[in-house]
Each structure stands twice: as structure tokens, then as C-alpha cells.
Amino acid sequence: MNILTTLAVADKKWGHFSLNWVLSVKNSRPSANTLLIYEQSAIEGNEELLDYYFDYKVEVPKNPYKTGHEYAFRLKTQLYSLVQKYGNKFIFIDADCIMNPRASVDEWFEELRDVDFTMWCNDVYDFHTKTRTRDDYFFWCDPKEACINYEIERLPQVNSSFIYFSKSEESKKIFDYANSAFNYPQVDIKKYKDAIPDEFCFNIALG
């Protein structure tokens, strides 16, 4: 089964965003299977509507981190373990996104049916040639240092607003590695909202 999923933790605005998100999804594809990963504090006041429009909900514990951003970033590296029992193919899209009425999630799942894992990629640093695919973007760390310290030959710079993954050993391995990079960073990282970005972790895992 194909599952479209999003995340709402900490601030109530993310509960509001997730409601807009699911309404836009159901408007373009009423039969789409949707799943919300949520913290109770984020959905207060919207429980009834979210129960009605989301097909599945996964509650996570109260935020144990300093900020909601840090919690959200950490949960993104744990997506596989949170949702894998609900389906076989998954697309995660940030809650502050809206589905275009002409878009079809079925087309995305069809296009990626033979792929284990993918994310939007903005740049790639090649350690051997010391080149990048573009020069108008940034990395969350020094890419050369990351390649040396993590013993990888390239470093992508991904955007985690869109993550596709299948229920597979390869996907599980990527999420496990990303989670490990979150726990044991080996380079200086540019933090976002005072937190290690999940994108850094996936960059390392996909390197």
C-alpha cells in the first residue's frame, strides 16, 4: 500500500498546516492513504478534523529536545521505524506544503516504483575531482572534511521537504545511518534554528 505522510510536532501551527496539507491531498486524490505523525500539543483543537481526514495517525512522545525544530529533524531520521508497518511505499512531504489540484500522488508512486529511496538533491560535491554540480547553494558542513571524516567519495546536499522510500533493507539502512549521523557528528555543522538539520544527516547517509 502507498502512504503519503507528514509531521506535526511542538507548535500548534504545524497542526493547522497538517490539516491544510491533508485537505489539499484529499482534494486532488480522495482515495490517497494519508498518515500523520504528531505530538499531542501540536494538534489540540484540530483533533476531530484530523481524525476524519487522516487515514492513520502515529503519536510520538512529548518533545524531549530544546526546540520543536530539533525534535522534527530527529523524527525525520526515524521515519522508517515510525511508519513502516502501515504500507510498502511512502512519500513524506512537509506539512507546510500544499498539493496542487492538478498534481497526482499516484504518478509519483508509479514513477518511483522501482526506487528504494530518494530525496530532492540540490548539489553534489565530488571528493576526487573537488567539484560541485552548482556553485549557488550551500552545504551544512565543509564537504571536503565530511568526505574525509566519514570516508565517503561524494557529499550530496538534499532537501528533506520530499522523501520517498520503500519498505526495504536499503531504506532502513539509510535511515539508520542518518540517525547515527545525528547522534555522532564528526564535523562542525551549521545549525538551523539551533539544531542539527536532518538534511545534514541524510547527506552523510547518502554519500
Side-chain angles (χ1 to χ4, degrees):
M1 183 165 61
N2 298 333
I3 300 285
L4 204 63
T5 184
T6 195
L7 175 66
V9 296
D11 197 292
K12 287 184 180 180
K13 71 179 181 182
W14 292 103
H16 297 315
F17 286 156
S18 66
L19 179 57
N20 292 334
W21 180 97
V22 74
L23 288 172
S24 73
V25 169
K26 294 295 187 178
N27 179 61
S28 64
R29 189 69 166 93
S31 63
N33 297 300
T34 55
L35 183 150
L36 175 65
I37 302 165
Y38 72 98
E39 182 185 7
Q40 182 58 38
S41 63
I43 68 166
E44 288 179 359
N46 284 319
E47 292 96 334
E48 187 174 343
L49 287 170
L50 292 172
D51 282 341
Y52 181 80
Y53 286 106
F54 274 95
D55 300 288
Y56 306 98
K57 290 168 65 187
V58 176
E59 184 176 5
V60 293
K62 183 178 179 180
N63 180 11
Y65 298 98
K66 291 187 298 182
T67 68
H69 283 91
E70 185 172 7
Y71 195 22
F73 294 159
R74 169 51 68 95
L75 288 171
K76 280 192 181 183
T77 69
Q78 299 173 354
L79 280 173
Y80 188 90
S81 61
L82 288 169
V83 305
Q84 54 92 18
K85 73 176 183 179
Y86 294 94
N88 299 306
K89 308 282 187 179
F90 304 87
I91 291 176
F92 172 89
I93 299 177
D94 277 342
D96 58 355
C97 298
I98 294 291
M99 182 71 66
N100 187 306
R102 294 187 297 274
S104 170
V105 296
D106 294 335
E107 291 179 3
W108 295 341
F109 281 111
E110 176 63 22
E111 180 180 349
L112 298 169
R113 68 184 185 277
D114 296 323
V115 176
D116 282 312
F117 183 102
T118 193
M119 301 171 71
W120 183 259
C121 185
N122 292 305
D123 199 355
V124 178
Y125 172 81
D126 186 295
F127 179 71
H128 295 293
T129 63
K130 307 297 187 292
T131 58
R132 296 170 52 176
T133 54
R134 56 190 289 188
D135 58 9
D136 58 345
Y137 210 74
F138 67 92
F139 285 86
W140 292 112
C141 65
D142 181 288
K144 180 179 178 180
E145 181 183 6
C147 287
I148 293 172
N149 291 1
Y150 288 97
E151 299 182 353
I152 52 181
E153 296 184 353
R154 63 172 196 153
L155 186 73
Q157 176 55 54
V158 298
N159 184 318
S160 64
S161 294
F162 180 100
I163 307 173
Y164 168 88
F165 59 100
S166 64
K167 186 176 180 178
S168 65
E169 283 302 313
E170 182 63 22
S171 290
K172 182 179 183 302
K173 185 188 304 182
I174 291 169
F175 279 103
D176 286 346
Y177 205 124
N179 197 37
S180 176
F182 200 110
N183 289 326
Y184 307 106
Q186 299 178 31
V187 292
D188 291 328
I189 304 165
K190 299 174 185 175
K191 293 188 176 182
Y192 180 76
K193 302 288 187 180
D194 201 31
I196 295 174
D198 60 293
E199 292 172 356
F200 161 79
C201 304
F202 285 113
N203 292 341
I204 300 301
L206 293 167

